[in-house]
Amino acid sequence: MTTLADKNVLLGVTGGIAAYKTPELVRRLRDAGASVRVVMTPGAQAFISPLTLQAVSGHRVHADLLDAEAEAGMGHIELARWADELVIAPATAHAIARLAHGFADDLLATLVLATEARIWVAPAMNRVMWASRPVLDNCQRLQTLGMRLLGPASGSQACGEVGEGRMLEPDEIVAALGDHPRPFLGHRFVVTAGPTHEALDPVRFLGNRSSGRMGFAVAEALAAAGADVDLVAGPVNLTTPPGVTRCDVLTARDMHREVMARIEGATGFIGVAAVADYRPDSVAEHKIKKSEGELALRLVPNPDILADVARHSARPALVMGFAAETRDLANAARDKLARKQLDLIAANLVGEGLAFDCADNALEVFSATGHWSLPEQPKAPLARALVEIMVDCMASKGG
Ligand code: PMT
């Protein structure tokens, strides 16, 4: 039997006839061990009463964005944080269009933007609507945003027609949530995250604004995909994601040493860290005193961890770098991909309010032959979308 023990599932119900199946879906989710809370759109309430879903879930149903009573209890941000899984079932064509374009004018759409939970979308609509270009394009966009589609199924429809567009049965939805694929089970990945600090004297260093969030999100997404993950982290203030083994380092040379010690036998190396290219050529033994006039620093190059991994005799099957650029993103990324002999590179524009130390990010990912655009979104779903690209890349190598 599928187990969702200890999982918090937020069910978003939108206004389609298949809403009549949601009390059964709530019951099945609870039978599988999940705690369930329900959010309804105004349209959903035309098909099923909030009271019914309150009775089966055991919790008050949330419906309004501007609900003083709800905000005094579990407000929308708390609800977004509470959820491990957000399941939108049924998802109408209208709801899908709104999600694809980032609307935030009702509670459910706002939660989708505010949550880092995995988001599942179970479309339900007439077969001709399902086959229409706008709906298919919007569904594709949901997938690039890291959301997972559940179905739809094929069969007889409420409108009397027969074809694709039915919502999956509650049992099938519960099974999909419980059986999420672990494509990297049995594989080990080494991931770097955060900045490095290059000492000038006992109290000063050269560093950068990396918070480590992107690298930690990648480590967490890989662990969720079944991988054993060794995370070599620069100085950051983050908790270790579940299932990840962490090694803390300070300098680029420490990071290089710890990565190289772990690379043998690894399937993949993902270099997300913002490693200092240069370090001061010497570290003053005592605090450098202020003196009149200028102070010149002499810098020497640090080892390039990513390039060394890529040309290592025990090179992992998948070597992926990041590229932080302030301009000419695609050309600079393609150049690094070729120069450092990488399988994949994820490029982000950086600068004021971009990528470094931000909750959200956008990435352009390149391989020798492929290109994926991952639009701006929180780093957790972005990392999950990256892992899907890694899975495809490994599959195309026959790994
Ligand atoms: O940590 P966050 O606040 O979440 O921000 C995330 C991020 C912006 C740091 C991240 O998304 C990112 O872009 N990381 C790479 C930053 C960087 O150093 O880029 P680069 O273009 O200078 O380096 C290219 C690649 O070479 C990177 O994979 C880097 O890890 C690697 N490198 C660089 C220098 C060096 N000496 N050794 C390396 O391995």
Side-chain angles (χ1 to χ4, degrees):
M1 183 183 148
T2 306
T3 173
L4 292 171
D6 303 325
K7 290 274 182 205
N8 293 334
V9 178
L10 187 58
L11 173 64
V13 185
T14 74
I17 180 65
Y20 82 88
K21 294 181 181 174
T22 54
E24 181 63 11
L25 175 56
V26 172
R27 227 172 50 80
R28 297 296 170 105
L29 287 166
R30 292 188 72 189
D31 287 348
S35 296
V36 183
R37 288 175 184 263
V38 180
V39 174
M40 298 178 80
T41 62
Q45 294 168 55
F47 289 93
I48 184 162
S49 145
L51 207 57
T52 309
L53 290 169
Q54 175 175 312
V56 289
S57 69
H59 293 284
R60 180 172 182 264
V61 167
H62 300 256
D64 295 319
L65 183 55
L66 306 173
D67 177 345
E69 210 185 302
E71 292 295 317
M74 190 178 261
H76 72 278
I77 293 295
E78 258 176 286
L79 205 51
R81 287 198 190 121
W82 172 86
D84 298 310
E85 315 281 348
L86 169 53
V87 183
I88 301 166
T92 60
H94 181 63
I96 288 170
R98 290 159 46 76
L99 299 182
H101 293 90
F103 279 58
D105 56 350
D106 72 15
L107 180 59
L108 180 59
T110 307
L111 285 167
V112 165
L113 298 181
T115 193
E116 293 197 341
R118 283 191 304 170
I119 302 176
W120 307 79
V121 178
M125 67 198 75
N126 162 271
R127 66 176 179 87
V128 184
M129 286 172 78
W130 171 250
S132 69
R133 194 72 256 163
V135 170
L136 294 178
D137 285 351
N138 286 334
C139 284
Q140 194 166 11
R141 186 164 162 79
L142 294 188
Q143 286 173 303
T144 65
L145 288 167
M147 300 185 206
R148 288 148 196 261
L149 288 186
L150 294 168
S154 194
S156 60
Q157 304 198 308
C159 54
E161 298 187 14
V162 178
E164 214 178 348
R166 274 169 63 105
M167 187 176 93
L168 288 191
E169 293 304 321
D171 273 348
E172 294 172 303
I173 293 178
V174 175
L177 258 66
D179 291 351
H180 93 91
R182 295 185 186 277
F184 286 141
L185 204 62
H187 294 273
R188 189 167 61 80
F189 279 69
V190 181
V191 179
T192 63
T196 62
H197 286 182
E198 311 296 327
L200 280 163
D201 70 14
V203 294
R204 301 186 181 95
F205 58 83
L206 297 180
N208 61 67
R209 293 182 203 281
S210 169
S211 62
R213 284 199 240 183
M214 190 70 243
F216 276 56
V218 168
E220 181 163 13
L222 282 166
D228 291 325
V229 181
D230 285 322
L231 175 62
V232 182
V236 296
N237 195 9
L238 296 172
T239 48
T240 310
V244 168
T245 308
R246 172 172 174 180
C247 164
D248 286 320
V249 296
L250 202 57
T251 68
R253 283 185 296 175
D254 294 342
M255 190 175 271
H256 184 270
R257 185 187 63 244
E258 296 301 336
V259 165
M260 291 307 164
R262 288 165 175 75
I263 215 64
E264 190 127 11
T267 295
F269 172 73
I270 320 295
V272 196
V275 185
D277 289 320
Y278 294 93
R279 65 178 186 277
D281 73 338
S282 62
V283 182
E285 194 184 340
H286 298 287
K287 184 171 169 240
I288 300 169
K289 297 270 185 229
K290 185 178 169 189
S291 60
E292 293 304 313
E294 293 175 357
L295 174 70
L297 289 179
R298 198 181 139 77
L299 302 178
V300 293
N302 271 324
D304 190 316
I305 304 169
L306 185 59
D308 285 356
V309 168
R311 55 175 172 244
H312 197 281
S313 54
R315 183 193 200 276
L318 182 76
V319 179
M320 176 172 187
F322 270 60
E325 308 294 340
T326 51
R327 60 181 174 164
D328 204 11
L329 193 67
N331 284 334
R334 286 202 167 101
D335 175 62
K336 277 180 190 161
L337 179 81
R339 202 162 25 87
K340 300 198 184 193
Q341 299 169 30
L342 310 177
D343 300 292
L344 288 171
I345 193 151
N348 36 207
L349 274 179
V350 297
E352 186 71 37
L354 288 173
F356 275 86
D357 202 16
C358 297
D360 294 357
N361 197 11
L363 291 169
E364 298 293 323
V365 185
F366 300 92
S367 68
T369 52
H371 174 212
W372 301 260
S373 283
L374 303 178
E376 183 167 354
Q377 57 194 297
K379 286 175 180 172
L382 184 63
R384 293 194 288 264
L386 265 187
V387 168
E388 285 180 16
I389 294 172
M390 294 178 207
V391 171
D392 287 351
C393 179
M394 289 289 292
S396 70
K397 283 168 156 252

